[in-house]
Amino acid sequence: MALTGRAALLAALGSIPVGILEPSWTGILAVNGPLALACACDYALAAPVRRLQLARSGDSSIRLGDTADVTLTITNPSRRPLRARLRDAWPPSSWHPGTEIDASRHLLTVPPGERRRVTTRLRPTRRGDRQADRVTIRSYGPLGLFSRQGTHKVPWSVRVLPPFTSRKHLPSKLARLRELDGRTSVLTRGEGTEFDSLREYVPGDDTRSIDWRATARQSAVAVRTWRPERDRHILLVLDTGRTSAGRVGHAPRLDASMDAALLLAALASRAGDRVALLAYDRRVRALVQGRAAGDVLPSLVNAMATLEPELVETNARGLTATALRTAPRRSLIVLLTTLDAAPVEQGLLPVLPQLTQRHTVLVASVADPHIARMAQARGDTEAVYEAAAAAQAQSERRRTAEQLRRHGVTVVDATPEDLAPALADAYLALKAAGRL
C-alpha cells in the first residue's frame, strides 16, 4: 500500500493516541478532521490489489523488427470497483529507446466481479528471449486521495527471431536452381552429378561425354548429360567467437552470417539437400540436424534466435573435430568466420586439411564496407593515412583468402548486404560444377 502527500501524514498521526500529541498537533487534527475522514473513506473504497487475478495471452515469437502484442487480463473478484494505473514491465530492449513509458503504462477501470484486458505492444531491438517482469498496479479510491499498490508476477516469454532480410533474394536463386536442375544439364560428370539423358552431339560438346555404345546403335553421335544430385549434405558452421562480435554497421558480424546461412539453408532444402547447423566457439552453442526439408528453416531460425557472440578465441581444433563428427558423410561444409590473418593462420590453416580431405569446404566472411570507403578517401593528410591503412587491411584479407584457396577452399568475402546472395551463388556454382 502506498500513501500520498497529506494522506500519509494523517495516516501516521492517526496511529498515535490524541492524548500524547502536543497541543499544536491536536489543533491540526481538529482543523483537518474532515480531510482525514475523506482519506479514510477513500482508502476503504479502493479495490484491493493482492486479490486481483492476472493472466497473459498473445504473441510468443516474432521476427526482429516486427511488433508483438501481449494481452494482460485483469479480473476483479472484490466488491469494489478497481480504478488503477498499471505498469507492465519488460526488459529495456523490448522497445525502441524513448517509447517504453507510453507502451508499458495503462489506465483501467474494472467493475466488481468483471474482467478487462490491456495490451502491451513490444517492438524489440535485439534477438533472443524477452521475459516479462512484474506487473505493478496502483489502485485508487473514488476521490484519488488514497492508493493501494502491489505487484504480481505473471510469466510470459517472447522469442525474437532473426529477421531473415535476405529472403528477398530467394525467388531469383530458386529460378536459377530450377534452370540448373531441369532445363540445363551439364556435360561433364563431377562428384555430385548423376546420369540424366542422352542427346545428339553438337560441335563444342566435350568428347569425353560421348556414349560410344549408344552411338553404335544409332546413326548419330550421342552424348551423355548429367544433372546435379539431390540429397547432398550441407553443414553450416557459425563461428560464434570474439571475431563475430565486431560490429559492421548497426549489427554484429554474427547477424550477417546468420542471415546468409538462412538464405543458403532455404535454397539447399528446396534443392533436396539435407541441411544441418553447428554454432561453435569453445563449445557447441547450437546444433540442428536430422530435420525434414519443411522443418529445416523454422528449426534454424529458432536455434539462432538466442545465439550471441562470445568474447573468447575460437578453438579451431575443437570446431574441426565437432564438424567431422556432425558430418560423417561427404558434405559441403560452409564455415562462416573471419578472414582476419591471425585467427586463420594460427587457428584454421593448421587443421584445414582434416576438413578438405573428406569434405568440400566453403569459407564465407563479412567484409566491412567502411574499409572500402576509407580506401577511396583523399583530400587531406588524415584521409591519406586512412586510405593507406584500409589498403593494407584489404591486402592482408586478399592474402588470407588466397591461402585458403590454395588448400582447395572456396572463399566468399562480401559486405553484409551482399554476403547472402554471394554465398547462394557460390553454392549454385559448386552444384553446377558437380562438386557436391
Side-chain angles (χ1 to χ4, degrees):
M1 180 180 69
L3 307 180
T4 59
R6 182 173 296 192
L9 175 61
L10 291 173
L13 293 175
S15 64
I16 304 175
V18 177
I20 65 173
L21 291 175
E22 296 293 333
S24 58
W25 284 108
T26 306
I28 292 174
L29 285 178
V31 172
N32 293 321
L35 179 59
L37 180 61
C39 289
C41 293
D42 205 40
Y43 170 74
L45 294 175
V49 175
R50 292 184 179 180
R51 292 176 57 191
L52 297 175
Q53 300 168 4
L54 284 76
R56 290 190 187 273
S57 60
D59 297 326
S60 58
S61 66
I62 59 167
R63 291 193 181 276
L64 182 63
D66 294 341
T67 57
D69 290 336
V70 180
T71 300
L72 195 62
T73 302
I74 303 97
T75 303
N76 180 15
S78 71
R79 297 180 180 180
R80 286 166 276 180
L82 173 67
R83 308 171 187 86
R85 293 180 180 270
L86 180 147
R87 179 175 182 263
D88 189 5
W90 290 76
S93 59
S94 301
W95 295 278
H96 285 285
T99 63
E100 176 184 359
I101 294 178
D102 294 335
S104 63
R105 287 165 170 77
H106 308 273
L107 292 174
L108 73 154
T109 301
V110 186
E114 297 188 16
R115 67 183 63 179
R116 292 291 185 270
R117 293 182 177 89
V118 296
T119 299
T120 301
R121 175 158 292 181
L122 309 177
R123 192 178 181 86
T125 57
R126 294 174 56 190
R127 290 179 293 100
D129 292 334
R130 298 293 171 270
Q131 304 287 346
D133 201 352
R134 63 192 66 190
V135 178
T136 303
I137 301 176
R138 180 172 290 178
S139 171
Y140 292 91
L143 300 177
L145 299 174
F146 236 89
S147 67
R148 304 169 184 258
Q149 181 169 306
T151 60
H152 291 259
K153 279 284 189 179
V154 191
W156 193 261
S157 178
V158 175
R159 173 156 289 190
V160 186
L161 306 173
F164 193 13
T165 55
S166 63
R167 181 169 38 187
K168 61 188 177 184
H169 299 290
L170 186 57
S172 63
K173 303 308 175 187
L174 288 175
R176 288 191 58 190
L177 177 65
R178 286 192 294 269
E179 179 182 355
L180 174 66
D181 198 28
R183 298 179 185 175
T184 29
S185 300
V186 294
L187 289 176
T188 56
R189 184 178 184 180
E191 296 172 350
T193 54
E194 58 185 10
F195 176 75
D196 181 45
S197 61
L198 293 171
R199 66 167 174 80
E200 187 176 343
Y201 174 86
V202 295
D205 286 345
D206 191 338
T207 55
R208 292 174 298 176
S209 298
I210 296 176
D211 189 321
W212 295 107
R213 291 191 178 187
T215 299
R217 294 194 299 266
Q218 57 189 30
S219 58
V221 178
V223 295
R224 293 185 295 268
T225 61
W226 311 87
R227 65 184 177 199
E229 283 188 41
R230 291 178 173 270
D231 199 31
R232 311 303 288 175
H233 289 246
I234 316 292
L235 176 61
L236 304 171
V237 181
L238 286 174
D239 179 357
T240 55
R242 65 168 183 83
T243 57
S244 67
R247 299 186 73 84
V248 179
H250 300 290
R253 281 186 166 88
L254 180 61
D255 286 31
S257 297
M258 290 193 299
D259 192 54
L262 288 174
L263 180 62
L264 180 56
L267 182 61
S269 60
R270 297 285 187 92
D273 294 334
R274 299 187 181 185
V275 181
L277 169 73
L278 170 66
Y280 192 94
D281 41 73
R282 288 187 177 176
R283 64 181 179 87
V284 176
R285 301 291 176 177
L287 179 61
V288 178
Q289 58 183 152
R291 298 292 195 275
D295 192 41
V296 167
L297 205 58
S299 299
L300 295 189
V301 168
N302 195 56
M304 290 178 181
T306 57
L307 285 179
E308 294 292 343
E310 301 293 330
L311 300 181
V312 297
E313 195 72 41
T314 299
N315 182 352
R317 292 188 180 277
L319 185 150
T320 301
T322 306
L324 290 173
R325 288 196 302 269
T326 307
R329 293 181 53 184
R330 182 171 184 83
S331 308
L332 170 63
I333 295 182
V334 180
L335 176 56
L336 294 116
T337 185
T338 182
L339 281 181
D340 293 346
V344 172
E345 294 175 358
Q346 299 174 15
L348 182 59
L349 284 179
V351 297
L352 192 57
Q354 300 177 35
L355 292 176
T356 56
Q357 185 178 16
R358 189 188 306 177
H359 303 287
T360 301
V361 180
L362 191 159
V363 171
S365 181
V366 183
D368 191 345
H370 182 63
I371 300 296
R373 291 193 295 269
M374 286 175 56
Q376 299 173 357
R378 298 293 185 273
D380 55 27
T381 304
E382 183 178 354
V384 171
Y385 277 114
E386 287 184 353
Q392 182 179 1
Q394 290 176 328
S395 176
E396 290 181 355
R397 199 171 180 89
R398 286 192 293 267
R399 182 173 59 84
T400 303
E402 187 57 35
Q403 286 181 298
L404 292 172
R405 292 189 182 99
R406 286 199 293 268
H407 284 77
V409 176
T410 301
V411 178
V412 176
D413 185 21
T415 61
E417 295 77 14
D418 298 330
L419 181 64
L423 182 58
D425 289 341
Y427 162 76
L428 291 172
L430 289 172
K431 208 166 185 63
R435 292 184 58 190
L436 298 187

